Amino acid sequence: MTATLIWILVGLVAIGLYLSWTAGRLDRLHARIDAARAALDAQLLRRASVAQELATSGVLDPAASIVLYEAAHAARLAEEEQREVAESELSQALRAVFSEAQQVEAVREAPGGEDAAGELAQAVRRVPMARRFHNDAVRAARALRRHRKVRWFRLAGHAPFPLAFEMDDEPPAALADRATA
């Protein structure tokens, strides 16, 4: 009788340790999502700021400046529910303005343009990477949260179900070429 109780107690402790380890893993994944989201927000803000700065610098033609400024301004001020759409529209505006290499060359030839073009190229290159890191963390947390043990024992607590950040983040071809150069 005593041996049976000891084995039951050992089994319960083992199950408890396993559930505790799983809850800790899930907590670490949620922390990783938070950190990745903060990094993504920083990169999106940097891209919008650089685009807005370039739009107001006077090196672009007036129509391109207006299109780029409005899209960057909308992306910076977008509410959380509209953020993906606003950021996608900024990507589309960047592709429209910098669709040809001549536009990038015109920016580079202006005083201080070399730095501005380089900074924008880096910003548009880093946004997809930051988004990919965020979405990978979300995918891992979702996979773990789908397991029965996590649902049955409510190991996720009150944490909201993680959502991926879906947007059009394809850089303009002329700037993508510039980023690798």
Side-chain angles (χ1 to χ4, degrees):
M1 180 73 160
T2 307
T4 306
L5 287 176
I6 291 174
W7 281 111
I8 290 173
L9 184 62
V10 168
L12 288 175
V13 167
I15 290 171
L17 286 173
Y18 178 71
L19 290 176
S20 175
W21 175 81
T22 303
R25 181 172 168 229
L26 190 58
D27 186 50
R28 288 188 302 276
L29 282 172
H30 282 281
R32 189 171 130 204
I33 289 170
D34 291 342
R37 181 59 190 244
L40 175 61
D41 287 342
Q43 292 304 324
L44 291 172
L45 181 62
R46 181 172 183 256
R47 181 181 74 153
S49 297
V50 171
Q52 205 169 18
E53 185 178 314
L54 191 60
T56 59
S57 68
V59 296
L60 299 173
D61 62 87
S65 292
I66 290 171
V67 167
L68 194 57
Y69 180 83
E70 287 180 355
H73 185 69
R76 288 182 74 181
L77 298 179
E79 296 292 325
E80 193 61 35
E81 302 83 36
Q82 297 299 318
R83 184 98 189 263
E84 293 172 351
V85 173
E87 295 294 346
S88 294
E89 288 173 355
L90 177 56
S91 295
Q92 293 166 1
L94 285 166
R95 281 198 306 272
V97 171
F98 296 105
S99 60
E100 298 177 5
Q102 293 85 3
Q103 187 71 8
V104 177
E105 290 303 318
V107 170
R108 288 179 60 204
E109 291 171 1
E114 183 70 33
D115 292 337
E119 193 173 352
L120 185 61
Q122 283 182 353
V124 299
R125 189 187 77 227
R126 288 179 178 167
V127 166
M129 289 188 304
R131 189 176 74 85
R132 194 172 312 120
F133 288 140
H134 175 266
N135 288 349
D136 286 347
V138 166
R139 197 173 303 114
R142 282 178 160 185
L144 185 57
R145 286 183 70 153
R146 282 191 197 107
H147 289 187
R148 277 187 225 145
K149 65 180 177 255
V150 173
R151 290 191 319 255
W152 287 350
F153 292 103
R154 300 173 192 230
L155 299 180
H158 297 288
F161 196 74
L163 299 174
F165 194 87
E166 298 300 332
M167 63 173 271
D168 174 9
D169 61 3
E170 184 178 334
L175 282 176
D177 295 341
R178 172 84 180 115
T180 58

